[in-house]
Amino acid sequence: MSGPPVIDPATYRHVLGHFLTGVTVITAIDPDTQAPTGLAASSFTSVSMDPPLVSFCAARTSTTWPRLRAAGHYCVNILGDGHAELSRRFASKQERKFDGLAWRSGASRAPVLEEAIAWIDCALHGELDAGDHVIALGRVLELGAREGASPLAYYRGGYGRLAP
Ligand SMILES: Cc1cc2nc3c(=O)[nH]c(=O)nc-3n(C[C@H](O)[C@H](O)[C@H](O)COP(=O)(O)O)c2cc1C
């Protein structure tokens, strides 16, 4: 019996890159250092209304994910169309990702970025094994949106905006 087909990683990346997404920055307060931490994630999606659940996928290699996990709470900040640089910053390994950034504490204490066009504050609800990633499920605690703002788009490895 033959196993599942082997998919070439470059082809996988190329084809899946055709799925247009937004970009989020997922933030928490690191319980060890009490410092804000976060990473850029395009794998965010809504999951359930009752109960209110959202998800994102975290790479097992991420050094930020274990800190979000330890915090037990995180905030999903949805980026606007001027935020490509912010996305790059939170996709980097630099330590001082919050320098010069305005934020406040959400219901869970996780940082809500003032520039975000929408934010969803969550408690970690569960974690599913998913190959080289884990699927993190968050229970929504509080959420809000800035009306009239337009989102940052991510497509085939590049940033863009919605045409008016
Ligand atoms: C547009 C964009 C989307 C990304 N989406 C994800 C994601 O959904 N999940 C993930 O684990 N990393 C994602 N990354 C990568 C992380 O933001 C980042 O590279 C990594 O977390 C930084 O490493 P660290 O967690 O070790 O600090 C994305 C990067 C970019 C630029």
Side-chain angles (χ1 to χ4, degrees):
M1 207 170 73
S2 64
V6 175
I7 302 295
D8 168 54
T11 306
Y12 178 94
R13 254 185 241 110
H14 174 71
V15 173
L16 273 293
H18 287 74
F19 185 60
L20 176 81
T21 67
V23 183
T24 68
V25 166
I26 303 186
T27 57
I29 298 295
D30 183 333
D32 287 339
T33 63
Q34 298 301 312
T37 184
L39 83 170
S42 57
S43 56
F44 172 74
T45 193
S46 59
V47 175
S48 163
M49 186 90 88
D50 184 19
L53 299 174
V54 292
S55 75
F56 77 100
C57 300
R60 290 196 183 275
T61 52
S62 167
T63 57
T64 304
W65 163 242
R67 300 186 232 177
L68 303 185
R69 187 176 190 265
H73 294 92
Y74 51 86
C75 183
V76 180
N77 295 273
I78 300 177
L79 299 188
D81 68 0
H83 295 154
E85 201 45 57
L86 205 53
S87 170
R88 285 191 199 98
R89 186 200 291 206
F90 278 89
S92 74
K93 296 270 183 193
Q94 77 179 75
E95 279 299 314
R96 307 169 71 90
K97 294 178 180 177
F98 286 79
D99 277 10
L101 266 189
W103 59 275
R104 62 184 171 82
S105 294
S108 75
R109 279 189 73 218
V112 179
L113 304 184
E114 297 291 354
E115 292 187 53
I117 66 167
W119 55 274
I120 303 117
D121 193 46
C122 304
L124 181 60
H125 179 79
E127 210 184 312
L128 303 170
D129 181 50
D132 57 15
H133 281 62
V134 298
I135 301 172
L137 278 175
R139 168 83 190 227
V140 179
L141 301 176
E142 202 173 76
L143 72 176
R146 199 144 46 80
E147 296 317 315
S150 76
L152 181 64
Y154 190 65
Y155 181 70
R156 295 189 64 185
Y159 297 99
R161 53 171 55 180
L162 299 182

